[in-house]
Amino acid sequence: MEQKRRHKKISGADLAFRICNGIFMIAFVIITLYPVLNTLAISFNEGTDALRGGIYLWPRVFTTKNYTTVLQKDNLITGAYITVLRTIIGTLLALVTNAILAFIVSRKNFIFSKSVSLFWVITMYVNGGLIPTFLLYKSLGLTNSFAVYVIPGMISAFNMLVIRTYMRGIPDSLEESAQLDGAGYTTIFLKIISPLCKPVYATVALFVAVGQWNSWFDAMLYNRMSTQYTTLQYELMKLLSSVSNQSSSAEAMKNSEGSITPTSIRAAATIVTMLPIVCIYPFLQKYFVTGLTLGGVKE
């Protein structure tokens, strides 16, 4: 009987669906991976040869000079250290502060819940502008310091609202049962709510970590004169700018052993900066669907 079921004839509609679905998924994978593989091929290709075009998935004139130029950049080690440090510390602080605030706002007996939520929503659309923000950070002593990387990003309206909405989807009966057993809000948050919020915590943590890792504008704006607080992205941005300026000069970055161009340097810098995030992403990707399917738990 089981063999008959296994060898049951597939209908034409099911077969057409499977074929179309397979074609679609293959096309989707190609479209997704091609830009990355093309950038990787250009990063290993000789610069002036890459300007001719026609490079797709494999370098035409192989060279590692692009990576040598990037990795030999001054202050790159310091920038990488500061970037890793700000990513770890900034992500932990942002996750803790946003989770605590979201827990407070998500409580139904908190009378200012709607007012506080509305206040945070307004901050998503209205800000003081670049110059007032710079003057505020300077008056607070955040400029020329590591603190400017982590303190301003501790609170995010978007991340707080995401966590708050997820917490509101948790059944109230769990909190009520804990309160009957004598648990306080601290115990409820740490031992009941937080374990159930691991998916949304992982999602928000990845959002914050990617933002911290890719950020370079704050380093240029607030720590431009402090080389000890430079970041990896800022150093690579300066390298790309210097290569672009030199390529427009008479020398034009000529080197018969293997020339470098803004295009090849940009490709190598892209691979260097994206590699750590690509390695971390697969371990957190499984939480995305659960973490962003807000309010999925119902009583």
Side-chain angles (χ1 to χ4, degrees):
M1 192 69 180
E2 293 182 357
Q3 291 180 354
K4 291 182 179 180
R5 291 179 179 177
R6 292 177 182 175
H7 293 86
K8 187 178 179 180
K9 187 176 181 180
I10 301 175
S11 64
D14 291 339
L15 181 60
F17 172 78
R18 293 184 181 183
I19 294 175
C20 293
N21 186 53
I23 294 174
F24 173 78
M25 294 305 298
I26 293 174
F28 182 78
V29 170
I30 293 174
I31 293 173
T32 303
L33 291 180
Y34 175 75
V36 178
L37 298 178
N38 178 252
T39 302
L40 183 64
I42 294 176
S43 68
F44 279 109
N45 197 85
E46 193 266 335
T48 54
D49 179 75
L51 296 177
R52 294 166 47 199
I55 299 176
Y56 301 105
L57 299 177
W58 193 258
R60 187 166 47 227
V61 181
F62 184 84
T63 182
T64 59
K65 188 172 183 179
N66 298 319
Y67 287 96
T68 302
T69 303
V70 170
L71 297 178
Q72 289 181 348
K73 177 72 173 65
D74 295 337
N75 299 322
L76 191 71
I77 301 299
T78 302
Y81 171 74
I82 294 297
T83 299
V84 171
L85 199 63
R86 69 174 291 181
T87 300
I88 296 175
I89 297 177
T91 301
L92 292 176
L93 290 178
L95 188 59
V96 170
T97 53
N98 283 295
I100 294 175
L101 182 59
F103 174 74
I104 296 173
V105 177
S106 65
R107 299 305 91 192
K108 293 182 179 180
N109 56 352
F110 180 56
I111 60 176
F112 300 108
S113 177
K114 293 184 179 179
S115 301
V116 173
S117 299
L118 178 61
F119 171 77
W120 288 114
V121 170
I122 293 175
T123 62
M124 295 174 63
Y125 299 98
V126 180
N127 61 72
L130 183 60
I131 295 177
T133 301
F134 177 83
L135 295 177
L136 175 63
Y137 288 177
K138 186 175 182 180
S139 64
L140 295 175
L142 295 178
T143 56
N144 297 321
S145 69
F146 179 81
V148 75
Y149 296 142
V150 296
I151 292 181
M154 288 178 62
I155 299 296
S156 168
F158 174 78
N159 294 333
M160 186 276 293
L161 293 175
V162 169
I163 299 176
R164 182 211 65 177
T165 308
Y166 190 92
M167 287 181 175
R168 283 185 174 177
I170 298 176
D172 295 334
S173 56
L174 295 176
E175 181 179 349
E176 294 171 358
S177 300
Q179 289 177 340
L180 291 176
D181 293 335
Y185 283 113
T186 302
T187 303
I188 293 173
F189 173 71
L190 294 178
K191 295 186 177 181
I192 297 178
I193 302 298
S194 289
L196 296 175
C197 290
K198 287 182 179 179
V200 74
Y201 285 173
T203 302
V204 171
L206 185 59
F207 286 163
V208 176
V210 171
Q212 288 281 10
W213 180 266
N214 291 330
S215 181
W216 62 268
F217 187 72
D218 50 2
M220 182 188 72
L221 193 62
Y222 306 119
N223 287 331
R224 189 170 187 174
M225 306 305 296
S226 302
T227 56
Q228 68 269 30
Y229 297 123
T230 188
T231 62
L232 176 64
Q233 312 297 342
Y234 182 47
E235 292 300 321
L236 294 178
M237 188 276 296
K238 291 194 297 183
L239 174 62
L240 182 60
S241 298
S242 64
V243 172
S244 299
N245 294 333
Q246 293 178 24
S247 64
S248 61
S249 65
E251 187 175 343
M253 304 297 295
K254 290 182 180 178
N255 187 334
S256 58
E257 297 282 332
S259 302
I260 59 175
T261 62
T263 301
S264 60
I265 290 296
R266 186 184 301 111
T270 301
I271 297 299
V272 170
T273 54
M274 72 180 291
L275 189 59
I277 299 299
V278 170
C279 294
I280 295 174
Y281 184 84
F283 297 99
L284 299 178
Q285 190 226 357
K286 62 181 180 180
Y287 294 109
F288 271 18
V289 175
T290 308
L292 291 182
T293 305
L294 306 175
V297 181
K298 301 294 181 182
E299 282 189 285

